[in-house]
Amino acid sequence: MPRPALIAWSPMHTVYDAPAHEPATLDLPFYGASFGASVRRFFRKYAVFTGRASRSEFWWAMLFQYIVGTIAGAVLTVVVIAVMASVIVGADQTDPAATVLEATVASTVVMVVGLAAFTLPLLLPSIAVTVRRLHDTNRSGWWYLISLIPFGGYALYVFAALETDAAGSRFDSQRSLPQLEHTAS
């Protein structure tokens, strides 16, 4: 009877080959989370800046935001074009400069309102999951402020791609840590 082939061991193999089980509490990171589980946790932990987030939680949440942003951008582009066309078609053709100005103002208002409607609900959870991911790499959440300088956001993506650091458990909330029993001696 032939022997089964040996599978080479690697950290990636052990993490992603086994089915991921969601932790019992939201306070702990979910390593190996699926897209759906990551998006659910993204919204359940809407404004939670304590604790940690696994790489999968972070990157699936980023992909979700990218997909939502792409769809929102496409929808807003169509709506802005429709608004501009309706203003131009319905305008008095005696003053073309005023017509262009009205169309520009109307499309700008639609764009600003539309962008706010799609981005503001995702802003706070995006910052929160990034801070939790920084915690998982044993960095303070204050590192998020590096995104305020030019090209600093790229540094955040590099930090988010780093492996989990066990010392990052210091950022876990006290509820999720095992309670030690004190015994009198």
Side-chain angles (χ1 to χ4, degrees):
M1 176 166 246
R3 290 177 36 175
L6 291 175
I7 297 174
W9 181 86
S10 72
M12 294 289 284
H13 175 76
T14 57
V15 172
Y16 295 107
D17 203 23
H21 298 288
E22 190 163 358
T25 175
L26 282 175
D27 294 338
L28 297 174
F30 186 1
Y31 298 105
S34 66
F35 179 78
S38 296
V39 171
R40 280 190 304 275
R41 286 175 71 90
F42 178 73
F43 286 111
R44 283 185 187 157
K45 297 177 84 170
Y46 194 86
V48 177
F49 294 90
T50 60
R52 299 176 291 153
S54 67
R55 279 193 281 195
S56 56
E57 283 182 72
F58 175 81
W59 289 110
W60 284 128
M62 291 299 114
L63 178 63
F64 170 74
Q65 291 179 79
Y66 177 77
I67 291 169
V68 168
T70 301
I71 292 169
V75 168
L76 282 175
T77 300
V78 169
V79 169
V80 164
I81 290 171
V83 165
M84 289 182 78
S86 69
V87 168
I88 290 172
V89 168
D92 182 17
Q93 299 299 328
T94 58
D95 190 6
T99 303
V100 169
L101 180 63
E102 288 175 19
T104 303
V105 169
S107 64
T108 302
V109 168
V110 167
M111 186 62 83
V112 168
V113 170
L115 285 175
F118 285 109
T119 59
L120 288 180
L122 297 178
L123 181 64
L124 193 58
S126 174
I127 294 170
V129 76
T130 305
V131 167
R132 291 193 313 270
R133 180 67 200 131
L134 286 169
H135 289 170
D136 198 47
T137 63
N138 196 26
R139 285 177 177 72
S140 168
W142 290 106
W143 273 99
Y144 185 83
L145 296 178
I146 199 170
S147 65
L148 298 177
I149 62 171
F151 304 108
Y154 295 116
L156 284 180
Y157 288 131
V158 169
F159 291 154
L162 294 175
E163 290 186 17
T164 296
D165 187 346
S169 64
R170 68 187 174 110
F171 293 104
D172 288 344
S173 69
Q174 295 302 315
R175 306 185 289 178
S176 64
L177 298 176
Q179 299 299 320
L180 300 175
E181 294 182 22
H182 296 289
T183 57
S185 44

